[in-house]
Amino acid sequence: MIVGLAGAAVTLVLAGRRILFLWKLFRTGQPDPERVLQVKRDPKADVEGQVVEVFGQRKLLKWTVAGLAHFFVMWAFILLITVYLEAGVQLLFGLHAHIPFIQTWPPIGFVQDFIAVMCLAGLATFTGIRIKNSPKKLDRRSRFKGSHTSGAWLILFMIFNVIWTMFFFRGAEVANENFSYGKAAFASHGVGQLMKNIGEPESGTMVAVEAVGLLLHIGVALAFLVIVVNSKHLHIFLAPLNVMFKRRPDGLGALLPMMSNGKPLDFEEADPDEDTFGRGKIEDFTWKGFLDMTTCTECGRCQSQCPAWNTGKPLSPKMVILELRDHAFAKAPYMLATEEEREKFTDEQKLAMEVDKELVGDEGVIHPDVLWSCTNCGACVEQCPVDIEHIDHILDMRRFQVMIESSFPSEAGVMLKNLENKGNPWGMSEMKRLEWIEDLDFEVEVVDDKLPEGTEYLFWVGCAGALEDRAKKTTKAVAELLHIAGVKFAVLGPMEACTGDPARRLGMEFVFQMLGQQNVETLNDAGVKKIVATCPHCFNTLANEYPQIGGNYEVVHHTQLLAKLVEEGKLTPVTPIEEKITYHDPCFLGRHNKVYKQPRDIMATVPGVQTQEMHRHKDRGFCCGAGGARMWMEERIGKRINTERVDEALGTDPDTVSTACPFCLVMLGDAINEKKNSGDAKESLEVVDVSQLLIRSVKGEKEPAAAE
């Protein structure tokens, strides 16, 4: 008892110091009151999150083998607390002490042994996965590239120690005829049979063996606790908190507005010296940002799905979080010190604490190439099993670089000027927004001041849909389909301006606010209630981000509306399209807004169409490379993302590649044209929007719309 209690006391002091340090570090972060308010507003959602994400391991089980292994190891951690309760009782009250029912009911002993055996199987699985996917063998193709692999092996070893000492301790109980669960605890009973030759029951030898087993089991747990709070396995305790305080949209939702000191930033009254413009130094992160950093498990699932990482670029979402975490830990002594204490630090100490190290820079914590490689596709956030919000942190660092440092890729500056001066990224005249209507054989209502009476939907055409030749085909197809279905709609024409998505995703929040407020005023004055949009970026901004600036509308993507019209019998595909088609999921339609079904439903209703999914699809879909304002930035590092995606599409041997986004249409089309020029793709291969397939079948067109 003396040895056990002394060890427990030392452990609690060491673990307590670390936990106190982390608590103080979190408190230095910027306030984020909305995180707490959302839990108070909707505690039911938090309970559901804990049940599904933490205890149900929903995201981890998407990767079946590794997910099952982690499921059993995690539940072993929870259920074997009862074994440590047993050990604690015997440590304090003697080897024969047992709590009635909890330590005497056989089914409990069976559950304990079963989960312990499954934990051993999980450890063996993890060992195999880590050997197979070792960074030494696979380099960048390993999701563990950049992770602290030695620490992971130590944790696996410590979990193994917990299990074998448990069976040693309980086996000694069996051999000493002091085990209360009987044969129900099958594994412990089996070990006990092997240990019966050590000595007679209740002999000094067996009592000593049982006591040693008890102390070993407790000692391993105490050492494990100290290791856990000082390692990436701190997520054992922090993951439930991170899940509790995560953002809770259905999908990735809107970008968070710029905040300073816990309040939305007012650009008219903001002071760069007093207010926080994004993240320019580690102290600018919120407490939730620090929680994200310390919760990272280094599993590399985000990295394995990242389109930038998979095409040879320096961005790894995992490494962004780890580098921020390591910098925060290095700088923490300075951040936690008083002004008087800071003055006493030597230059060498400040260097070690990275006091003057810039957050973003060639010699900074995050290299600019890392920051600007992100497409905002959301694959990292979708895959993260502990709900880290990588995109929020990347965008907040971009905001500081753009708005305070004026440091961003030069070609993006042209896009920003065009948005400010012309209201669209291409800098075209606003009068060109109606030219697509000239090719239609019916009249399209154009909003003057108010929405025409009886109008059901405002058709938000978008900049690409109105000005980009390939996207115009989608616009005309959707307009025709709505007309055929008898849906009364109107467009804004010259009154429409870019939603501001490219500016916001670049980090220029001010331009987004300017364009957004202009559009919201136009929409509200016109009395708009319902909007249909063909561009997923416009759709996401109108539906999820405009409520932040006073624009609340019922917004649908054109695939959602068209699928509904087909289901209601208002659109009937009749002409067969005998083609093999593979569908590309736009990131801002799929992962960001969970619209996977309707585009596929539309294709399924077209006679003759054979659909073939790419390997990476739906929530694991691969980006086209245009998101995060990358549409207007050159891709100079590694393989082009759109080329990688088209290579995957070509692997299905399609006659047509379909999608539901004008940006994807352009990016995939460009890559396919390159493949045609090099002879790697058949000349007839085209990229079309699903609406173009539908109009061909509804109207009975014999030739593909792309051949016009």
Side-chain angles (χ1 to χ4, degrees):
M1 182 174 68
I2 293 172
V3 172
L5 291 177
V10 171
T11 299
L12 290 176
V13 169
L14 294 174
R17 287 181 59 187
R18 181 65 173 179
I19 292 169
L20 182 61
F21 160 75
L22 292 171
W23 171 252
K24 289 180 178 179
L25 177 62
F26 290 171
R27 292 194 66 184
T28 66
Q30 294 284 321
D32 195 352
E34 178 59 28
R35 304 287 184 166
V36 179
L37 290 174
Q38 71 176 8
V39 176
K40 292 180 179 178
R41 282 196 302 263
D42 192 5
K44 180 183 176 183
D46 178 51
V47 172
E48 291 174 354
Q50 298 298 319
V51 170
V52 174
E53 299 288 349
V54 179
F55 296 108
Q57 303 276 277
R58 179 182 68 87
K59 286 191 174 181
L60 280 155
L61 288 172
K62 288 181 178 180
W63 298 35
T64 310
V65 174
L68 280 172
H70 193 278
F71 180 86
F72 286 117
V73 171
M74 185 273 295
W75 273 101
F77 176 81
I78 296 172
L79 295 176
L80 295 185
I81 290 174
T82 58
V83 176
Y84 276 104
L85 176 63
E86 173 188 341
V89 167
Q90 291 180 271
L91 178 71
L92 295 174
F93 302 106
L95 297 177
H96 290 274
H98 300 288
I99 301 175
F101 181 72
I102 293 178
Q103 291 177 247
T104 58
W105 194 39
I108 291 181
F110 171 79
V111 170
Q112 291 169 336
D113 273 27
F114 173 77
I115 199 66
V117 170
M118 295 309 296
C119 180
L120 286 175
L123 295 179
T125 302
F126 286 148
T127 300
I129 288 172
R130 287 194 167 271
I131 292 173
K132 180 182 177 183
N133 296 308
S134 169
K136 291 182 179 178
K137 290 197 304 183
L138 301 180
D139 196 42
R140 286 178 66 96
R141 290 182 292 119
S142 169
R143 63 185 173 97
F144 302 119
K145 173 78 172 177
S147 299
H148 297 86
T149 53
S150 57
W153 285 114
L154 174 61
I155 293 297
L156 291 180
F157 177 65
M158 290 305 298
I159 297 173
F160 173 72
N161 286 338
V162 168
I163 302 301
W164 80 257
T165 57
M166 166 190 152
F167 285 133
F168 180 85
F169 157 52
R170 285 157 69 102
E173 283 188 295
V174 172
N176 206 26
E177 298 182 354
N178 183 33
F179 192 59
S180 56
Y181 293 119
K183 293 182 180 180
F186 59 95
S188 298
H189 183 78
V191 173
Q193 297 304 308
L194 298 175
M195 297 178 70
K196 282 192 173 181
N197 294 329
I198 296 176
E200 293 297 319
E202 298 298 332
S203 66
T205 301
M206 284 311 304
V207 170
V209 169
E210 187 177 347
V212 168
L214 175 66
L215 289 174
L216 272 175
H217 192 50
I218 292 175
V220 165
L222 296 177
F224 194 15
L225 177 60
V226 175
I227 292 171
V228 162
V229 297
N230 286 277
S231 73
K232 73 185 185 70
H233 273 71
L234 187 62
H235 77 267
I236 292 172
F237 305 112
L238 294 185
L241 290 176
N242 218 37
V243 171
M244 177 187 297
F245 294 116
K246 71 173 183 178
R247 297 203 280 124
R248 298 176 182 174
D250 181 18
L252 300 186
L255 276 180
L256 294 176
M258 289 185 70
M259 306 287 286
S260 180
N261 300 313
K263 299 178 182 178
L265 187 66
D266 185 337
F267 284 97
E268 292 184 3
E269 298 182 4
D271 183 349
D273 295 325
E274 298 291 335
D275 290 297
T276 303
F277 282 72
R279 311 286 178 247
K281 54 185 183 298
I282 199 69
E283 294 92 326
D284 292 338
F285 283 85
T286 66
W287 61 264
K288 176 57 170 64
F290 288 129
L291 183 59
D292 272 358
M293 297 172 204
T294 48
T295 305
C296 181
T297 69
E298 302 186 27
C299 66
R301 292 180 182 224
C302 59
Q303 179 174 289
S304 71
Q305 301 300 301
C306 177
W309 180 262
N310 276 282
T311 53
K313 296 166 183 62
L315 169 62
S316 158
K318 174 186 71 179
M319 294 306 299
V320 168
I321 299 299
L322 296 187
E323 285 161 0
L324 291 173
R325 181 193 69 188
D326 293 346
H327 177 58
F329 283 168
K331 198 173 180 179
Y334 185 83
M335 293 160 61
L336 298 175
T338 64
E339 287 298 328
E340 291 181 359
E341 291 171 332
R342 289 180 180 182
E343 291 176 1
K344 296 178 182 178
F345 288 136
T346 64
D347 290 341
E348 289 77 12
Q349 287 175 317
K350 289 182 180 180
L351 184 64
M353 290 185 283
E354 301 179 357
V355 172
D356 297 319
K357 190 171 186 177
E358 53 184 352
L359 190 65
V360 178
D362 291 343
E363 302 297 328
V365 179
I366 306 296
H367 194 279
D369 287 340
V370 169
L371 202 62
W372 297 111
S373 293
C374 180
T375 66
N376 285 205
C377 72
C380 50
V381 182
E382 174 69 35
Q383 290 296 328
C384 181
V386 293
D387 290 317
I388 291 170
E389 296 160 358
H390 313 75
I391 291 178
D392 289 351
H393 304 315
I394 289 172
L395 261 294
D396 276 334
M397 288 187 283
R398 280 188 176 188
R399 283 166 166 169
F400 184 86
Q401 292 301 303
V402 174
M403 302 187 71
I404 301 300
E405 297 291 316
S406 295
S407 176
F408 51 90
S410 58
E411 57 269 24
V414 177
M415 179 267 291
L416 286 177
K417 288 180 181 177
N418 289 336
L419 288 178
E420 290 185 71
N421 298 329
K422 296 292 186 178
N424 66 80
W426 288 280
M428 294 186 185
S429 168
E430 60 188 22
M431 300 312 297
K432 287 184 173 290
R433 286 186 177 271
L434 285 177
E435 287 184 355
W436 62 273
I437 295 177
E438 298 170 3
D439 296 329
L440 301 178
D441 56 7
F442 59 91
E443 184 179 352
V444 174
E445 294 269 16
V446 180
V447 176
D448 188 3
D449 290 316
K450 293 289 183 181
L451 208 60
E453 188 175 347
T455 301
E456 187 176 358
Y457 286 95
L458 175 83
F459 181 12
W460 186 274
V461 179
C463 300
L467 304 172
E468 207 283 326
D469 288 340
R470 286 166 285 190
K472 284 182 185 179
K473 295 175 183 177
T474 302
T475 305
K476 288 183 281 189
V478 171
E480 284 193 80
L481 288 165
L482 295 180
H483 177 69
I484 293 169
V487 176
K488 189 170 182 182
F489 67 94
V491 299
L492 288 176
M495 294 170 62
E496 183 182 294
C498 178
T499 60
D501 169 81
R504 188 172 223 198
R505 298 285 162 173
L506 181 73
M508 181 52 86
E509 184 74 8
F510 178 76
V511 173
F512 164 75
Q513 294 283 338
M514 178 187 74
L515 291 167
Q517 288 167 7
Q518 173 186 328
N519 283 324
V520 166
E521 183 179 349
T522 299
L523 293 168
N524 290 347
D525 288 347
V528 173
K529 301 296 182 184
K530 298 168 72 174
I531 300 174
V532 58
T534 55
C535 174
H537 297 262
C538 296
F539 167 56
N540 181 70
T541 306
L542 291 165
N544 299 325
E545 301 190 341
Y546 272 20
Q548 296 174 356
I549 51 177
N552 295 282
Y553 318 104
E554 180 185 330
V555 187
V556 296
H557 188 254
H558 73 282
T559 56
Q560 294 174 303
L561 181 55
L562 295 179
K564 179 185 174 186
L565 294 173
V566 171
E567 185 180 359
E568 292 173 348
K570 295 179 179 178
L571 291 173
T572 305
V574 289
T575 303
I577 299 178
E578 303 292 343
E579 294 180 10
K580 186 178 180 182
I581 299 175
T582 189
Y583 175 72
H584 163 79
D585 285 284
C587 301
F588 276 72
L589 185 62
R591 273 188 294 267
H592 282 260
N593 287 282
K594 302 298 181 186
V595 180
Y596 300 115
K597 183 176 181 292
Q598 291 89 339
R600 290 172 170 83
D601 286 349
I602 292 172
M603 290 190 294
T605 63
V606 177
V609 167
Q610 302 175 48
T611 57
Q612 175 66 50
E613 295 283 11
M614 285 181 262
H615 173 65
R616 293 181 283 208
H617 63 281
K618 293 187 176 178
D619 62 356
R620 288 203 196 182
F622 199 76
C623 184
C624 74
R630 293 274 348 153
M631 179 85 170
W632 291 275
M633 289 184 262
E634 288 298 325
E635 195 170 344
R636 298 184 176 90
I637 303 173
K639 184 178 181 180
R640 295 181 67 88
I641 293 174
N642 59 343
T643 302
E644 173 72 12
R645 185 54 165 168
V646 163
D647 283 342
E648 190 166 2
L650 293 176
T652 68
D653 189 29
D655 299 308
T656 300
V657 177
S658 67
T659 188
C661 170
F663 288 2
C664 297
L665 203 67
V666 171
M667 298 297 284
L668 299 181
D670 287 348
I672 284 176
N673 287 336
E674 289 178 5
K675 293 292 181 181
K676 288 180 181 179
N677 293 335
S678 62
D680 295 325
K682 49 192 175 186
E683 283 298 320
S684 60
L685 181 63
E686 297 290 348
V687 186
V688 300
D689 189 273
V690 291
S691 62
Q692 293 172 259
L693 295 173
L694 183 59
I695 193 67
R696 281 173 56 193
S697 184
V698 168
K699 291 182 67 177
E701 294 180 8
K702 299 297 182 182
E703 296 298 321
E708 294 174 5

